[in-house]
Amino acid sequence: MSKKPVSRLAAREARVTVRNARFQQWESYLNTRAKRTKSARFLIQGVRPLTLAIEHDWPLEALLYRIDGPPLSSWARGVLDGWQHEKVGVSGELMAELGEKDASPELIAVAKQRHRGLGSLALAGASPLLVVFDRPSSPGNLGTLIRSANAFGADAVIVAGHAADPYDPQCVRASTGSLFAVPVLTVSDADEVLAYRARVRDGGTELRIVGTDEDGDMAIFEHDFTGGTILVIGNETRGMSASWRAACDVTVSIPIGGAASSLGAPSAGAVCLYEIARQRG
């Protein structure tokens, strides 16, 4: 009697169909920063974020794939076929919970965090561009600024002070994969950046610290951004801290009209980054 063919995926991978300890661990990466930090893990979902994480050799630990519902797309099958790490089949219901959406995602990756300080950052070129976000409170805003920094050619994003978690699922989603394409570093305060700038200057590269403020020294288009720049974006509600204001060589404002009193932090960052790219382009 001939044997019924067995699915290659079903034959070689574990499955999770109930809310067991492992599922609860994955779920904790979504909801609890302390659990993410302690385990140094987080989740990646979405076609573009997962594709970019793979392209940029992000350290990935396991791939969860949906085992019921509609057939997996050719993209998802392609990722599974090339996956070199652990694969876990998960029920559609549980995948939907991890995906935080009504529809269950096809794939979710369990990834390792990268905790990088300024000492790991090597700058290339004569006019590097670093973007500092001073104490961002919203993970979504942080992810949006990371996306803009990547889009306009920044060399790195520096998250300063007590801030939102770059590995929060809201940040990962808002960055649309740019989190994996541009270095995202953390510092405790402005002094760390000033010390780094001193080392870079000793190596022959100039870096000017330019803060954004509605009462800036000049309009943004009046400042020359063609040299090495550290652009500082202040907290969403309180702006730059006193220490960052003191660290700035100059502050710039963005002229606006209408009824708005100011731009939100990620919007201001995008405008500044566009102006820098325009001047350099």
Side-chain angles (χ1 to χ4, degrees):
M1 185 172 67
S2 62
K3 292 184 178 181
K4 187 176 181 180
V6 179
S7 164
R8 179 165 54 86
L9 289 177
R12 68 179 186 181
E13 284 109 39
R15 293 198 171 192
V16 173
T17 58
V18 295
R19 296 176 58 85
N20 59 15
R22 197 167 193 199
F23 174 83
Q24 292 173 27
Q25 184 179 48
W26 297 330
E27 192 175 41
S28 74
Y29 299 158
L30 292 175
N31 304 321
T32 310
R33 180 174 185 170
K35 294 289 181 66
R36 284 195 303 271
T37 302
K38 182 177 180 180
S39 64
R41 301 292 188 276
F42 69 108
L43 301 184
I44 305 171
Q45 56 184 288
V47 175
R48 183 166 178 78
L50 186 48
T51 299
L52 286 175
I54 295 170
E55 287 180 358
H56 289 275
D57 296 320
W58 194 271
L60 304 172
E61 187 173 68
L63 185 67
L64 318 182
Y65 64 92
R66 192 187 64 223
I67 57 176
D68 51 26
L72 297 180
S73 67
S74 58
W75 166 78
R77 286 279 170 183
V79 172
L80 276 170
D81 287 342
W83 192 257
Q84 301 300 314
H85 311 285
E86 182 186 16
K87 303 176 186 179
V88 183
V90 181
S91 70
E93 180 183 1
L94 297 182
M95 286 288 278
E97 290 188 42
L98 294 176
E100 301 180 298
K101 296 179 181 179
D102 294 334
S104 61
E106 296 182 297
L107 303 176
I108 297 176
V110 181
K112 298 179 181 179
Q113 297 184 11
R114 281 178 171 169
H115 294 288
R116 298 182 284 194
L118 274 174
S120 67
L121 181 62
L123 298 178
S127 301
L129 172 59
L130 309 179
V131 181
V132 173
F133 202 162
D134 177 24
R135 300 161 299 137
S137 57
S138 163
N141 285 344
L142 175 57
T144 300
L145 186 62
I146 292 170
R147 180 180 181 179
S148 296
N150 182 214
F152 291 116
D155 294 280
V157 175
I158 300 168
V159 185
H162 183 69
D165 181 10
Y167 300 110
D168 186 288
Q170 293 181 47
C171 181
V172 178
R173 283 196 300 270
S175 79
T176 63
S178 290
L179 176 68
F180 313 115
V182 61
V184 177
L185 318 171
T186 57
V187 299
S188 58
D189 52 35
D191 288 342
E192 283 190 53
V193 177
L194 288 170
Y196 176 78
R197 180 175 71 162
R199 294 195 299 272
V200 171
R201 280 177 163 175
D202 289 343
T205 301
E206 180 58 47
L207 282 173
R208 298 199 75 200
I209 300 178
V210 182
T212 54
D213 187 85
E214 60 185 27
D215 298 317
D217 302 322
M218 63 184 70
I220 183 172
F221 51 78
E222 294 174 336
H223 179 71
D224 181 2
F225 283 104
T226 56
T229 301
I230 299 174
L231 177 71
V232 183
I233 307 298
N235 172 269
E236 295 96 328
T237 57
R238 299 183 297 277
M240 289 187 294
S241 66
S243 60
W244 275 110
R245 288 180 185 277
C248 290
D249 298 303
V250 65
T251 59
V252 297
S253 62
I254 301 172
I256 60 174
S261 60
S262 63
L263 294 175
S267 298
V271 171
C272 292
L273 287 162
Y274 175 82
E275 173 62 18
I276 294 170
R278 185 193 68 79
Q279 289 190 20
R280 296 180 175 196

